[in-house]
């Protein structure tokens, strides 16, 4: 059920970091929705109708190949927004996105979003700076997928998700993680075992618990810290 | 005493599982359908691969090749769920994409309701009308099926993502093919394409067209067996995954 935002501070770090004067009236432009896990928020090729600013939900942006294989090309939490293309004047979705970890998003209609992009320099600058961070992360993860081990990529993924939900435990099956990483389930299960042996994180069924964030960050490749830093920089406008 | 008491249950369980994976395909007017299966684990030879052929309504035949995540009895449980759900949707008049969309939603909602770990499945699902010589199909994250006819072979690209991943009907589309006498359609699970030889090279999808072309004068059953045998011969003891194949010949 949609609830109008009563007062600002939404819980999405990108919107919350908007300079004073550029957030005026934002509460009236955003409605808070609770998304269920696996709920689609946009389908590839369809007209973009809205932009989602995650609060405690985590969204996935996926690419499906001609072979039907589906791989995640972006994970979005409260540091960013989904339908980045909307900030680049696109009106058609180039990817499918869906809710990966159940939670809330602030949803803004495309019309309102475009209106703000056209009339508020501060808002437009914040969105474009954020798109730049997302672009940097995408490029970094392209390198990551080529060069880093499944254990490193698993650790990066778990660390990023823990940051986004802002708690050490969350639901995320190994099978799902395997699909998102484009890896075999058995390989991801082995990687999860390695992380458990190192004391970084433990799996119980489909639930993950980060036991030692420092150890998890150590197990992750440099891409985790680089992406995190890129978004942090984009939020300090 | 305890051992003797368990024996009937083992027999019942085996019967139940074998029922899910199904008996041989019976004769179908206008079609020659054959299937073959090789289980990688001798102790429990039924993994997550399932082939189902179902005749219903006014001469329709549904063909499903499904690869379910996981192994063992849990995968068998999900195999039973998907097999019978697809049969039910088909016999209720759903078209191929409608049945797959409904199954996708069922995968997600059933796991959420039962509070169990999610499962995923890739599927090639086709509905054949032998009288009208047409086939509608959905390939959801599955290995591309192969259509062989007089002028060569072509692969049927995916028309949707893996099942159980996202709740979005729009993600699935349907393909249709006008069938001709002599057409052969073959679908396999990834145990075939991902079979590796001594040099660790994948067998790959093109090999499927080769096997069909080489055996095109044989029955569908013989062709399905030739497909599985080809993977087995190629990989030898390295064949670590189940292999399932179905072949459909339009007569």
């Amino acid at each position: 059920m949609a609830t109008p935002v009563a007062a600002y501070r939404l819980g999405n770090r990108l919107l919350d970091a908007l300079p004073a004067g550029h957030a005026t009236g934002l509460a009236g432009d955003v409605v808070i929705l609770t998304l269920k896990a696996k709920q689609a928020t946009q389908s590839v090729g369809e007209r973009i109708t809205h932009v989602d600013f995650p609060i405690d939900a985590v969204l996935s942006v996926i690419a499906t190949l001609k072979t039907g294989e589906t791989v995640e090309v972006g994970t979005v939490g409260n540091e960013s927004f989904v339908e980045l293309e909307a900030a680049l004047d696109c009106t058609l979705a180039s990817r499918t996105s869906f809710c990966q970890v159940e939670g809330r998003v602030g949803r803004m209609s495309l019309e309102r979003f475009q209106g703000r992009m056209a009339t508020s320099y501060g808002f437009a600058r914040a969105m474009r700076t954020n798109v730049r961070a997302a672009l940097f992360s995408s490029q970094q993860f392209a390198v990551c997928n080529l060069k880093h081990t499944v254990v490193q990529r698993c650790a990066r993924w778990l660390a990023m998700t823990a940051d986004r939900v802002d708690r050490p435990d969350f639901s995320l099956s190994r099978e799902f993680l395997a699909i998102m990483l484009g890896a075999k389930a058995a390989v991801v299960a082995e990687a999860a075992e390695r992380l458990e042996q190192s004391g970084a994180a433990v799996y119980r069924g489909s639930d993950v618990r980060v036991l030692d964030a420092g150890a998890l960050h150590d197990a992750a490749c440099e891409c985790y810290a680089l992406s995190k830093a890129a978004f942090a920089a984009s939020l300090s406008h | 005493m305890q051992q003797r008491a368990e024996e009937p249950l083992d027999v019942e369980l085996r019967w139940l599982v074998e029922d899910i994976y199904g008996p041989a395909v019976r004769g179908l007017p206008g079609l020659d359908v054959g299937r073959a299966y090789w289980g990688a684990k001798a102790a429990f030879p039924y993994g997550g691969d399932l082939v189902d052929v179902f005749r219903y309504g006014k001469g329709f035949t549904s063909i499903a090749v499904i690869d379910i995540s996981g192994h063992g009895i849990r995968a068998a449980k999900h195999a039973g769920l998907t097999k019978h759900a697809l049969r039910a949707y088909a016999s209720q008049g759903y078209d191929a994409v409608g049945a797959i969309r409904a199954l996708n939603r069922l995968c997600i909602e059933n796991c959420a309701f039962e509070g169990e770990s999610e499962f995923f499945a890739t599927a090639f699902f086709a509905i054949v009308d032998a009288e009208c010589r047409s086939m509608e199909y959905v390939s959801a994250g599955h290995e591309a099926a192969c259509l062989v006819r007089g002028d060569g072979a072509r692969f049927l690209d995916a028309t949707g993502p893996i099942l159980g991943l996202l709740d979005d009907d729009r993600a699935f589309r349907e393909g249709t093919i006008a069938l001709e006498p002599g057409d052969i359609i073959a679908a396999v699970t990834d145990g075939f394409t991902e079979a590796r030889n001594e040099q660790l090279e994948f067998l790959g999808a093109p090999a499927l067209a080769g096997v069909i072309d080489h055996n095109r004068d044989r029955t569908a059953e013989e062709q399905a067996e030739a497909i599985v045998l080809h993977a087995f011969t190629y990989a030898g003891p390295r064949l670590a995954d189940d292999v399932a194949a179905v072949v459909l010949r339009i007569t």
Side-chain angles (χ1 to χ4, degrees):
Chain A
M1 191 162 129
T3 315
V5 176
Y8 245 71
R9 184 168 178 94
L10 181 68
N12 174 277
R13 292 189 290 142
L14 171 59
L15 289 187
D16 292 353
L18 282 172
H22 294 287
T24 311
L26 207 51
D29 282 356
V30 176
V31 288
I32 296 176
L33 300 172
T34 299
L35 300 180
K36 283 186 191 171
K38 306 197 176 200
Q39 183 176 341
T41 57
Q42 197 75 58
S43 282
V44 61
E46 302 225 325
R47 188 176 160 70
I48 298 171
T49 55
H50 56 266
V51 171
D52 285 329
F53 295 91
I55 299 169
D56 50 11
V58 180
L59 275 61
S60 279
V61 184
I62 53 170
T64 300
L65 303 177
K66 203 168 77 167
T67 56
E69 289 169 285
T70 299
V71 178
E72 186 180 66
V73 292
T75 311
V76 183
N78 61 14
E79 78 290 350
S80 186
F81 64 104
V82 177
E83 295 336 314
L84 293 170
E85 306 99 305
L88 304 172
D89 298 330
C90 298
T91 54
L92 291 180
S94 57
R95 301 284 179 203
T96 293
S97 48
F98 70 101
C99 179
Q100 174 198 123
V101 177
E102 183 171 316
R104 295 166 301 155
V105 297
R107 179 165 289 182
M108 187 185 290
S109 72
L110 181 67
E111 192 181 26
R112 297 283 176 98
F113 183 83
Q114 287 176 327
R116 284 193 171 269
M117 290 293 288
T119 59
S120 168
Y121 173 76
F123 183 88
R125 184 172 177 277
M127 297 303 125
R128 290 191 178 119
T129 305
N130 197 266
V131 170
R132 197 167 65 209
L135 182 61
F136 171 82
S137 291
S138 292
Q139 292 166 341
Q140 192 64 40
F141 297 154
V143 175
C144 185
N145 291 340
L146 283 171
K147 294 291 182 187
H148 293 147
T149 66
V150 173
V151 176
Q152 289 176 305
R153 289 162 56 206
C154 272
R156 162 172 72 77
W157 218 90
L158 296 179
M160 285 166 57
T161 305
D163 287 350
R164 282 162 175 151
V165 297
D166 200 23
R167 56 179 191 270
D169 38 21
F170 46 90
S171 198
L172 184 79
S173 77
R174 279 163 282 207
E175 288 88 352
F176 179 86
L177 187 53
I179 294 168
M180 293 295 98
L181 292 174
K184 288 275 184 197
V187 177
V188 169
E190 270 176 39
E193 213 167 284
R194 292 265 299 273
L195 292 175
E196 186 167 345
Q197 284 164 0
S198 71
V202 63
Y203 254 102
R204 289 288 173 265
S206 290
D207 297 325
V208 184
R209 183 169 185 80
V210 176
L211 301 171
D212 182 341
L216 189 64
H217 299 166
D218 288 345
C221 48
E222 72 220 57
C223 305
Y224 165 68
L226 287 170
S227 173
K228 190 172 179 172
F231 277 108
S234 83
L235 296 175
S236 58
H237 32 245
Chain B
M1 188 73 178
Q2 197 177 18
Q3 180 65 33
R4 287 177 65 186
E6 281 179 0
E7 278 173 6
L9 181 62
D10 286 349
V11 171
E12 291 290 312
L13 274 175
R14 183 162 287 276
W15 176 86
L16 179 68
V17 171
E18 285 180 355
D19 182 66
I20 291 168
Y21 290 90
V25 181
R26 298 179 196 92
L28 303 168
L31 301 173
D32 175 20
V33 183
R35 62 182 190 170
Y37 177 82
W38 182 80
K41 291 196 171 131
F44 188 84
Y46 300 103
D49 289 9
L50 172 77
V51 175
D52 186 50
V53 180
F54 179 51
R55 183 81 160 183
Y56 67 96
K58 296 176 180 173
F60 296 109
T61 302
S62 68
I63 294 169
V65 184
I66 300 170
D67 189 350
I68 290 159
S69 60
H71 295 282
I73 200 75
R74 191 168 159 261
K77 173 193 162 186
H78 293 139
L81 175 78
T82 54
K83 169 183 168 176
H84 293 293
L86 279 175
R87 284 187 174 198
Y89 298 139
S91 70
Q92 285 297 307
Y94 285 57
D95 57 11
V97 72
I100 284 291
R101 283 170 175 163
L103 177 62
N104 178 58
R105 198 169 308 114
L106 181 68
C107 289
I108 293 169
E109 290 182 344
N110 189 65
C111 289
F113 179 72
E114 293 195 353
E116 64 174 20
S117 295
E118 60 196 338
F119 80 95
F120 303 97
T122 68
F124 174 77
F125 181 64
I127 293 177
V128 179
D129 183 342
E131 196 178 309
C132 296
R133 295 199 187 284
S134 68
M135 180 178 91
E136 55 189 45
Y137 69 93
V138 179
S139 184
H142 198 78
E143 299 296 305
C146 181
L147 166 66
V148 179
R149 58 174 45 153
D151 56 356
R154 74 176 173 102
F155 286 90
L156 309 179
D157 288 338
T159 60
I162 189 168
L163 301 173
L165 181 66
L166 77 156
D167 188 3
D168 184 13
D169 282 354
R170 296 163 298 185
F172 300 96
R173 294 173 291 105
E174 185 171 78
T176 54
I177 290 174
L179 299 170
E180 298 169 7
D183 280 356
I184 300 169
I185 294 139
V188 293
T189 52
D190 62 2
F192 177 86
T193 50
E194 294 180 5
R196 291 180 178 219
N197 63 10
E198 267 182 34
Q199 289 72 45
L200 300 181
E201 296 161 327
F202 289 113
L203 180 53
L208 179 60
V211 178
I212 294 297
D213 193 46
H214 190 70
N215 294 279
R216 62 190 311 159
D217 296 329
R218 300 171 72 184
T219 66
E221 192 77 34
E222 289 167 341
Q223 290 187 30
E225 282 168 7
I227 290 168
V228 172
L229 182 64
H230 188 75
F232 196 79
T233 309
Y234 183 82
R238 286 168 302 281
L239 191 58
D241 201 359
D242 309 325
V243 183
V246 65
V247 173
L248 167 72
R249 291 171 74 236
I250 309 301
T251 54

